[in-house]
Amino acid sequence: AKGQGRNTWQWYRGQRVEKNRQTLALRQDLYTALKEQQFEMHYQPLVDSLSGRLRSVEALVRWRHPSRGMVSPCEFIPLAEQTGQIIPLGRWILQQACRDMVDFSARTGHDLPVAVNISSLQFLRDGFLEDVKHTLAESGLSPMLLELEVTESVLLDGAEPVIELMQTLKAKGIRVALDDFGTGFSSLSYLRDLPTHRVKLDRSFIQAIETDHRMAAIVQAVITMAHNMDMSVVAEGIESLELQQDLARRHCDLLQGNYFARPMSLADLKVLPSLLPGN
Ligand code: C2E
Ligand code: CA
Ligand code: CA
Ligand code: CA
C-alpha cells in the first residue's frame, strides 16, 4: 500500500509537471498567434426573455492553435493577461467585433448591438478610451451599437478612475455592462456609484436556481434591484425551456445560452433564421 501511495504521488507530480510545461508552451505561442491570425471571433445571441427574439450578441474570442486545436479563452485569456499580450489581443478583438457588426448590418439590413469583453487590465490602461474612439471611427460602427463588458475586478484598485471612465464612455453613447455579477469580491454597494446600464448574472448563479431556493431569491433580488436603478439584466447559461420560463417569470430582460444558440461564426450569424422579419 505504501508503494502504491508513492506511485500515485509520482503520477500526480508527473501530471503537474506536464501541465506546467504545456502552460509555458502555450504562453510562448501567444506571442506569434496574433501575427499568424490564429484568433477568430464568434458571436452568441442574446434574446428577449419573452419573445425569444434576437436583441444583441456577445463577442467571444477563439484561438485555433496550429497543433492543439481550439483552446478555450478560459485557458489563454489569463495567460495573455500575465504576459501583457492582452493589450494587443484586446485591441484586435475590439476592432474585429466592430468591423464584423458593420459587415453584418450591410449584409442583413439589421443593426445588431455587440457586447465586447474587456479585461480589467485593458480597461484601466491609459489610452483605452482613445483606442475605443479610434476603433469606432475606423470601422464606422455607431457607438450606440457597442457595449463593453467588464467584471468587478476593475474595481480592485479603487472605484474613482473606473467611475470617471464609465461616465466618459456613457457621454459618448457607449454603454458598459457589469459581467459575472455577484461572483466577485464585493457586490451590491458599489452598484450605486457605477454608471452601468446592465448587469449580467453568471451562469453559475442561473443554473443553481432550479435546485437552490436561496440562490433563486438572490437572483430575484438582483433583478428587482437592477430594475429599480434603471438597469437591465441578462441571465447567462440558459440551457432549457424551464430556465427560460423561470427567468421570464422573474422579469429578467435578456437571456443567453445554448438553449437558444451557441457562439457562432459571423457567417452563421448572418443567416440566423430568427433574424428574419416576422420572427
Ligand atoms: P463570459 O464573459 O462569462 O462568457 C460567457 C461564457 O459562457 C462563454 O464561454 C459562453 O460560450 C459560455 N456559455 C454561454 N451559454 C452557455 C450555456 O448555456 N452553457 C454553458 N455551459 N456555457 C455557456 P467562452 O466563450 O468559453 O468564454 C469563457 C470566458 O472567457 C468568458 O466568460 C470571458 O471571461 C472570457 N472571454 C471570452 N472571450 C473573451 C474576449 O474576447 N475578451 C476577454 N477579455 N475575455 C474573453
Ligand atoms: Ca462576458
Ligand atoms: Ca467572465
Ligand atoms: Ca459569466
Side-chain angles (χ1 to χ4, degrees):
K2 207 173 174 184
Q4 206 176 14
R6 175 177 226 124
N7 283 343
T8 309
W9 182 79
Q10 277 173 341
W11 184 82
Y12 278 119
R13 187 166 170 276
Q15 291 289 101
R16 206 176 61 222
V17 168
E18 174 57 18
K19 183 90 196 125
N20 286 344
R21 199 191 56 76
Q22 283 178 6
T23 304
L24 279 173
L26 213 52
R27 190 179 310 176
Q28 203 54 44
D29 293 344
L30 268 175
Y31 285 98
T32 47
L34 200 55
K35 200 173 67 218
E36 296 182 356
Q37 305 188 318
Q38 292 166 9
F39 295 108
E40 50 192 78
M41 295 312 296
H42 281 203
Y43 299 93
Q44 187 174 34
L46 274 72
V47 305
D48 184 281
S49 66
L50 292 172
S51 69
R53 289 190 61 171
L54 181 67
R55 287 285 179 251
S56 64
V57 289
E58 177 176 9
L60 295 158
V61 68
R62 299 291 179 257
W63 183 8
R64 208 180 278 280
H65 189 280
S67 60
R68 288 192 45 187
M70 282 293 195
V71 183
S72 164
C74 297
E75 201 172 343
F76 70 81
I77 291 288
L79 293 181
E81 288 173 338
Q82 287 164 21
T83 63
Q85 284 294 300
I86 192 66
I87 301 302
L89 175 59
R91 203 177 280 141
W92 178 85
I93 288 169
L94 190 63
Q95 281 171 356
Q96 195 62 41
C98 291
R99 288 175 190 164
D100 281 353
M101 286 309 117
V102 170
D103 185 13
F104 181 91
S105 298
R107 297 286 179 85
T108 64
H110 293 270
D111 279 346
L112 193 60
V114 63
V116 179
N117 290 286
I118 306 293
S119 154
S120 296
L121 280 171
Q122 188 187 2
F123 191 78
L124 294 172
R125 209 177 110 106
D126 285 343
F128 176 68
L129 183 64
E130 291 307 313
D131 276 355
V132 174
K133 285 196 280 193
H134 175 81
T135 304
L136 285 169
E138 177 229 53
S139 64
L141 187 76
S142 159
M144 310 291 283
L145 295 179
L146 179 64
E147 175 178 290
L148 307 176
E149 291 190 5
V150 298
T151 64
E152 53 195 273
S153 70
V154 293
L155 295 161
L156 271 174
D157 289 332
E160 233 88 298
V162 178
I163 294 171
E164 203 181 292
L165 180 54
M166 284 185 181
Q167 268 158 356
T168 311
L169 287 163
K170 191 180 175 182
K172 304 211 172 303
I174 303 158
R175 295 156 305 165
V176 181
L178 215 47
D179 203 2
D180 293 348
F181 185 74
T183 60
F185 64 96
S186 53
S187 286
L188 302 179
S189 57
Y190 62 80
L191 255 195
R192 191 192 65 186
D193 304 315
L194 290 183
T196 56
H197 84 116
R198 175 171 289 172
V199 296
K200 292 191 78 171
L201 286 160
D202 191 65
R203 74 166 184 270
S204 58
F205 272 47
I206 295 306
Q207 293 178 347
I209 70 174
E210 287 176 308
T211 50
D212 182 340
H213 77 279
R214 291 195 174 199
M215 196 62 112
I218 293 175
V219 165
Q220 184 61 71
V222 170
I223 294 171
T224 305
M225 180 189 67
H227 286 168
N228 286 336
M229 292 195 275
D230 302 315
M231 292 187 242
S232 62
V233 183
V234 181
E236 279 181 0
I238 306 295
E239 291 180 358
S240 66
L241 175 64
E242 289 69 36
L243 258 185
Q244 171 186 11
Q245 290 173 337
D246 191 337
L247 283 144
R249 240 189 341 264
R250 295 176 191 280
H251 302 290
C252 186
D253 305 276
L254 293 172
L255 307 178
Q256 176 179 2
N258 295 346
Y259 175 67
F260 303 104
R262 289 172 185 271
M264 62 185 86
S265 68
L266 178 67
D268 287 344
L269 186 68
K270 283 179 187 165
V271 296
L272 203 65
S274 57
L275 251 184
L276 298 173
N279 244 320

